[in-house]
Amino acid sequence: MKKDLGLAQAVYPMPVLMVAAYDENEKVNVMNVAWGQICDEDKIILFIGEGKKTWLNIKQSKAFTVALADEAHMDVADFFGIASGNRIDDKFERTGYHAVKSDKVHAPIIEEFPVVMECELLEFLHSDHVDGIVGRIVNVKAEEAVLSDDGKVDPAKLRALIFDPFRGGYYAAGEKVGQAWNAGAALMKQ
């Protein structure tokens, strides 16, 4: 029997995404975003409220990067979520992390995170109910250490963080339990 839980953010898992952009002075800012998702083969949507430092930077620079946070960098990923770039001027510098300029878009790549999407701004969405940033993914870079023999990202090696909205926890993804587009194939034959 199911029990009523009331209003809850009941989508699990949620990604832990590190969104980075330059400000008008080429200063790096990074934000932890759990409300983001691929929305087409080459597009990503991030639900970031208007006025956030990262939102303002993306509006100005027209580009951003989105890195997958991993277990090895959980402390800094969490810091990027609890510290506001509007209130802490040296937010990125405090971490001791390193950024290099993307060669595909005008945005920083945070070197410590192993997988990053380089994105150009397509549009801002704004309604009474949602604010979103849609970007076109122009390239993905990944550290060789998280790649499998076939050159694809291996979730078991990546150990990407996933956010648990029920209890506010972070978990590491990695165990494969089935093959997509195959696990239910037997039901197609009925």
Side-chain angles (χ1 to χ4, degrees):
M1 172 191 258
K2 290 182 177 62
K3 180 179 176 182
D4 286 340
L5 299 179
L7 177 63
Q9 298 169 359
V11 173
Y12 175 83
M14 296 176 82
V16 180
L17 306 173
M18 300 293 102
V19 180
Y22 289 122
D23 71 7
E24 65 278 357
N25 299 314
E26 301 294 300
K27 186 175 178 139
V28 175
N29 186 66
V30 186
M31 176 183 190
N32 179 325
V33 176
W35 296 350
Q37 184 62 17
I38 298 297
C39 59
D40 200 350
E41 278 190 23
D42 66 342
K43 292 174 191 68
I44 189 166
I45 187 164
L46 306 169
F47 299 101
I48 300 174
E50 185 175 352
K52 300 267 188 199
K53 179 70 172 158
T54 303
W55 186 95
L56 295 167
N57 290 349
I58 293 170
K59 183 177 182 185
Q60 178 272 322
S61 70
K62 309 289 190 249
F64 56 96
T65 59
V66 180
L68 303 179
D70 62 333
E71 182 179 18
H73 302 97
M74 179 176 57
D75 57 343
V76 171
D78 190 58
F79 172 73
F80 285 146
I82 59 179
S84 168
N86 284 327
R87 291 192 293 275
I88 300 176
D89 189 53
D90 65 343
K91 177 179 172 179
F92 182 70
E93 294 80 4
R94 284 186 189 193
T95 67
Y97 275 26
H98 307 90
V100 296
K101 189 171 187 172
S102 164
D103 61 349
K104 308 288 187 205
V105 298
H106 181 70
I109 293 174
I110 310 311
E111 291 192 300
E112 285 74 8
F113 296 114
V115 178
V116 63
M117 293 168 270
E118 298 163 287
C119 307
E120 58 187 25
L121 175 65
L122 288 178
E123 67 178 312
F124 283 95
L125 302 176
H126 176 73
S127 74
D128 290 341
H129 305 287
V130 70
D131 286 305
I133 297 171
V134 179
R136 184 171 73 86
I137 303 165
V138 299
N139 189 48
V140 177
K141 287 181 173 30
E143 293 290 335
E144 289 184 28
V146 300
L147 299 179
S148 61
D149 291 340
D150 65 358
K152 295 183 180 182
V153 174
D154 182 340
K157 291 179 178 182
L158 175 61
R159 307 261 317 145
L161 288 182
I162 52 178
F163 175 66
D164 157 27
F166 299 109
R167 303 188 79 192
Y170 291 119
Y171 293 81
E175 180 185 357
K176 183 175 182 177
V177 297
Q179 184 64 40
W181 302 285
N182 184 293
L187 294 172
M188 295 295 293
K189 297 174 185 173
Q190 293 184 3

